[in-house]
Amino acid sequence: MTFSNAMTEFAGSLPGTDAYVKLRQAMQLLIKEDAENAVVYFLIFGFARAYVMLYEDQEVSPQFAEDNQKVMLGYLNILGDALKQHDKAHVYNAMNLVVNQYENSKKVF
């Protein structure tokens, strides 16, 4: 499993909690396999976990699910690009960017 594979799988999934469950599982695996970047995976794990906890028993509109999948894909792209650089400074800056974007968002997960 790679971050890129997890991102591609999430992007190709139907919007909804099942996609977040799979993303969360992928991040758990990556935390174990790539301890050097565990903080990246843990951040996404937390977002995915929160989405599932908040919405798995609720009906959400297709537009809501699609919009939030796009938000998550934005975060995944930022972090994925940073991980490809193999530079801790890029990863750190990407993490800060994602956290700041999240803090300025609707915080749906």
Side-chain angles (χ1 to χ4, degrees), residues 3 16 44 62-63 66 78-79 82 84 86 96:
F3 190 82
I44 297 301
Q63 189 63 51
E66 289 172 17
I78 290 167
L79 296 169
K84 288 177 188 174
H86 300 287
N96 279 331

Side-chain angles (χ1 to χ4, degrees), residues 7-38:
M7 189 168 65
T8 300
E9 185 175 324
F10 182 77
S13 297
L14 292 174
T17 55
D18 289 346
Y20 289 86
V21 167
K22 290 178 184 175
L23 182 61
R24 184 184 69 199
Q25 292 168 342
M27 294 303 108
Q28 281 180 302
L29 183 60
L30 285 169
I31 289 168
K32 294 175 185 174
E33 292 179 352
D34 181 16
E36 186 173 320
N37 293 303

Side-chain angles (χ1 to χ4, degrees), residues 79-97:
L79 296 169
D81 289 345
L83 288 168
K84 288 177 188 174
Q85 299 296 319
H86 300 287
D87 177 50
K88 290 180 183 181
H90 277 88
V91 173
Y92 180 81
N93 289 332
M95 292 285 297
N96 279 331
L97 179 60

